[in-house]
Amino acid sequence: MARESKTARKLRAQAIVQVLADAYPRSRCALNYETPFQLLCATVLSAQTTDVKVNQVTPLLFDQFPSPVEMAAADVGAIESCIQTIGLWRNKAKFLKGLSQMLLDDFAGELPTTVAELTRLPGVARKTATAVLGTAMGLNAGITVDTHMLRINALLKLSTATSADKMSKELEDLVPQDHWNVYTHRIIDHGRLVCVARRPRCGVCPLADLCPSHKSPKAGYKPANDDKEPASAAGLSWLG
C-alpha cells in the first residue's frame, strides 16, 4: 500500500467521523454524574479501573460528599471507605480530597475551564482534563485518548503514536474540533461493540471501507457475542 499523504489521511479521518456519527448517534460518557465536579471525581477514579466499577462506588461517595466543600472537609479515611473496591483507592482518596481543597483555595469552589488550570489539580492529567471539559462543559479542549482510542486509531492508521498525549495531538490535526469530545465516546462504543480487542467483528464493521486493518471474515464467521450492552439498547439496529 502506498504511503498515505497527510491530506488524504485528513479526508479519511473526516469520513470516519461521519460514519461514526451515523453508526453511534447516542454515544455518551459512561460515567454517572450530576455536576462537573462529580464528573471530575469519577474520571479521576476511573484510572486503571472500569467505568462499571466506578459507577458502583460513586452513588455512596457523592451522597456523602456531593461538592468540593464536603469532600475537602472529609477525613481521607471516610473517602477511602467509599471507594475501597476499586484499584489504587488509597491514592485516589488523597487526590479527591486534595483537588477539592485546591478548588476551594484557588478557584472559589468552581471547576476551571482550561486544561492548564485543571491539570494543576492533584490526580488530574491532560486526559482527565479534556474529558471533563468536553463532557461536562461542552468545551472541545482536546481529544481524550484511552486504551480503546490507542488501539483503534492505530488500526485505522490515523496515528502511529503509542502515548496518549502524542496521539491526542495527532488526532486533533485530523478530526474537526467540534467532534473532538464525541469522537472519543464513539470510538469507545465501537471498541466495546464491534472492534473487540480479542475478536474484532470485521464482518459487521461500519468502518470497513475506511480501515486499512479490516479483514474479510472467514467462512463460518460468527460475530462475538460478549457485549456488555445489547446493540438494541444502544440504538444500533444495524448491529443486531
Side-chain angles (χ1 to χ4, degrees), residues 50-72:
T50 66
D51 292 343
V52 171
K53 289 185 177 179
V54 173
N55 287 337
Q56 290 172 350
V57 303
T58 49
L60 176 60
L61 179 71
F62 295 151
D63 181 63
Q64 294 190 25
F65 316 113
S67 79
V69 174
E70 293 85 4
M71 193 79 77

Side-chain angles (χ1 to χ4, degrees), residues 37 40 68-69 98-122 124 137:
F37 168 74
L40 176 64
V69 174
L99 70 83
S100 298
Q101 190 62 59
M102 185 175 285
L103 286 174
L104 295 177
D105 293 342
D106 296 356
F107 301 103
E110 299 293 329
L111 260 65
T113 57
T114 68
V115 171
E117 290 175 313
L118 272 173
T119 52
R120 288 176 50 200
L121 302 173
V124 179
M137 301 183 182

Side-chain angles (χ1 to χ4, degrees), residues 48-240:
Q48 300 182 47
T49 304
T50 66
D51 292 343
V52 171
K53 289 185 177 179
V54 173
N55 287 337
Q56 290 172 350
V57 303
T58 49
L60 176 60
L61 179 71
F62 295 151
D63 181 63
Q64 294 190 25
F65 316 113
S67 79
V69 174
E70 293 85 4
M71 193 79 77
D75 182 87
V76 71
I79 301 174
E80 289 176 349
S81 68
C82 294
I83 64 171
Q84 59 187 343
T85 58
I86 66 173
L88 305 175
W89 52 276
R90 285 193 175 90
N91 282 338
K92 290 175 181 178
K94 294 175 184 176
F95 288 153
L96 295 191
K97 183 175 174 66
L99 70 83
S100 298
Q101 190 62 59
M102 185 175 285
L103 286 174
L104 295 177
D105 293 342
D106 296 356
F107 301 103
E110 299 293 329
L111 260 65
T113 57
T114 68
V115 171
E117 290 175 313
L118 272 173
T119 52
R120 288 176 50 200
L121 302 173
V124 179
R126 184 179 188 274
K127 179 173 72 172
T128 298
T130 56
V132 171
L133 290 174
T135 299
M137 301 183 182
L139 302 174
N140 285 296
I143 291 181
T144 306
V145 172
D146 69 348
T147 54
H148 285 297
M149 287 282 285
L150 281 167
R151 178 174 61 84
I152 295 173
N153 284 290
L155 290 172
L156 290 170
K157 308 297 184 187
L158 292 182
S159 173
T160 59
T162 56
S163 75
D165 285 350
K166 288 183 179 179
M167 180 174 282
S168 293
K169 295 188 182 304
E170 288 188 10
L171 292 176
E172 286 160 14
D173 284 338
L174 300 174
V175 175
Q177 186 170 358
D178 58 342
H179 286 266
W180 282 359
N181 182 56
V182 73
Y183 179 77
T184 296
H185 296 319
R186 286 171 176 155
I187 286 288
I188 290 172
D189 280 348
H190 187 62
R192 288 172 174 164
L193 293 167
V194 177
C195 197
V196 183
R198 60 188 177 84
R199 195 177 180 190
R201 306 174 68 179
C202 291
V204 294
C205 182
L207 296 176
D209 293 339
L210 297 165
C211 179
S213 303
H214 173 262
K215 295 180 181 178
S216 298
K218 298 177 182 178
Y221 170 82
K222 183 178 180 181
N225 188 27
D226 48 6
D227 302 338
K228 297 263 193 275
E229 177 186 33
S232 58
L236 309 179
S237 59
W238 56 268
L239 184 53

